[in-house]
Amino acid sequence: MIYMEAVLIKANNISSAWSQLIYEIYKNGEEHKPDYNTVTKRVHATIQIKDVSNNQVNPAVPFGENLIERYKEELTEEYADWYISLPEDDKRKFDYCYAKQLFRYGETAYNTLRENVANLRPGSRRHVGILWENEVHIPKFEDQPCWIAYKVELINETQTRIYILYRSWDAFGGFPANIPAIVEGFKKVFREQSLPYEIESLIATGWDTHIYDADLQAVEKIFKTNELCPLCKCITPKHSFIPTTRGKACPECKKSM
């Protein structure tokens, strides 16, 4: 029997987390065919990211920072209001919208994120929001939310830790867009509520964290000319490594020595 790998990835930043994650799936992922017949390689992954604000985008990410900025703009209350205002038959109205699920949840349009951060108590494990509506999403057999829950934990007077949970997570194209947008979404709520909080770290878990078969060629191409820096674990062009007393290092690690 082939078992799905359960992996723990510890990273200093989002770029390193993504780099390590796609390398792990590419090398050790279980081949899996979901019910819609798109083959993937997958792992169960928990990813701990220390610094969520700097070095967010690795150069090997399959799209530029402009697209990530667009995702950040869409994870807002304003976008949720615009989405809800669309007619039901509008083709721009996807079957779920993360902004709506965060800020206008359910029939009562409840703003879970604003209420949670406004009432944070140090040490509490109760500041949780769900993005999956059972009565709406269980009867559906496609296009349910992939991101299904979050938790905010207040560590001290100014620092928070964010936890997020995915039932299904596209590691190659989804992860590098999702995480910066989620981080910015939480920061925006902190700013708008005039709260003195910053994000100390983020822990994300994906029950099924995968690379689609259609993307595996692109991943293979990346690792033909790149490898993980032994120090920061970011994807780095092989030709750019610099010898140091600690072994080879990428240019950024060399600068910080």
Side-chain angles (χ1 to χ4, degrees):
M1 181 180 291
I2 299 174
Y3 293 96
M4 181 166 66
E5 292 286 334
V7 301
L8 172 63
I9 290 171
K10 296 183 178 182
N12 288 330
N13 50 60
I14 297 173
S15 170
S16 175
W18 179 77
S19 300
Q20 294 181 66
L21 179 60
I22 65 165
Y23 182 82
E24 183 67 37
I25 298 172
Y26 175 63
K27 290 294 185 182
N28 301 313
E30 170 201 44
E31 188 172 294
H32 176 246
K33 184 182 285 187
D35 54 1
Y36 48 84
N37 293 322
T38 300
V39 177
T40 67
K41 289 186 78 172
R42 66 175 185 171
V43 299
H44 173 101
T46 293
I47 301 140
Q48 179 184 40
I49 305 172
K50 292 181 181 178
D51 180 351
V52 296
S53 299
N54 299 298
N55 203 1
Q56 290 187 328
V57 186
N58 188 274
V61 164
F63 43 78
E65 291 196 42
N66 288 340
L67 185 60
I68 293 175
E69 290 303 314
R70 195 194 81 192
Y71 277 106
K72 290 179 179 179
E73 291 170 2
E74 291 180 359
L75 204 67
T76 63
E77 289 189 59
E78 294 83 2
Y79 188 85
D81 289 335
W82 171 82
Y83 179 88
I84 291 171
S85 73
L86 295 174
E88 288 302 319
D89 60 351
D90 193 304
K91 291 183 179 180
R92 294 171 295 176
K93 200 156 191 174
F94 195 60
D95 283 341
Y96 66 88
C97 169
Y98 291 139
K100 174 184 176 296
Q101 299 303 100
L102 286 171
F103 303 110
R104 304 290 183 264
Y105 182 88
E107 292 184 8
T108 61
Y110 188 67
N111 190 322
T112 72
L113 187 49
R114 183 168 60 189
E115 293 299 322
N116 270 316
V117 303
N119 295 288
L120 284 177
R121 302 185 304 279
S124 175
R125 296 172 293 200
R126 295 181 172 87
H127 303 293
V128 173
I130 308 298
L131 291 87
W132 176 287
E133 299 172 70
N134 287 338
E135 68 278 18
V136 173
H137 297 119
I138 288 180
K140 296 172 67 66
F141 294 100
E142 57 186 17
D143 296 334
Q144 296 102 330
C146 295
W147 176 23
I148 61 173
Y150 71 85
K151 182 177 82 169
V152 189
E153 181 180 357
L154 185 60
I155 299 170
N156 55 42
E157 290 183 355
T158 60
Q159 292 184 310
T160 63
R161 181 175 296 131
I162 308 299
Y163 301 81
I164 59 178
L165 175 64
Y166 279 83
R167 64 165 183 87
S168 175
W169 201 3
D170 172 12
F172 186 59
F175 179 104
N178 301 152
I179 299 299
I182 290 169
V183 166
E184 183 56 32
F186 277 84
K187 286 182 176 181
K188 187 172 189 290
V189 173
F190 293 156
R191 291 194 301 267
E192 289 179 345
Q193 302 300 310
S194 300
L195 297 168
Y197 303 140
E198 59 185 32
I199 301 174
E200 176 264 351
S201 62
L202 180 145
I203 297 176
T205 296
W207 287 334
D208 185 316
T209 309
H210 51 264
I211 298 174
Y212 290 106
D213 186 59
D215 292 326
L216 282 172
Q217 278 191 321
V219 175
E220 184 174 12
K221 186 176 180 181
I222 287 172
F223 288 113
K224 280 183 178 179
T225 57
N226 298 267
E227 60 184 74
L228 299 185
C229 171
L231 301 181
C232 69
K233 307 295 185 185
C234 287
I235 290 173
T236 305
K238 293 178 180 179
H239 64 79
S240 69
F241 284 108
I242 303 166
T244 73
T245 55
R246 296 170 58 188
K248 66 180 182 180
C250 71
E252 290 302 311
C253 287
K254 172 64 176 174
K255 282 181 191 176
S256 64
M257 288 181 179

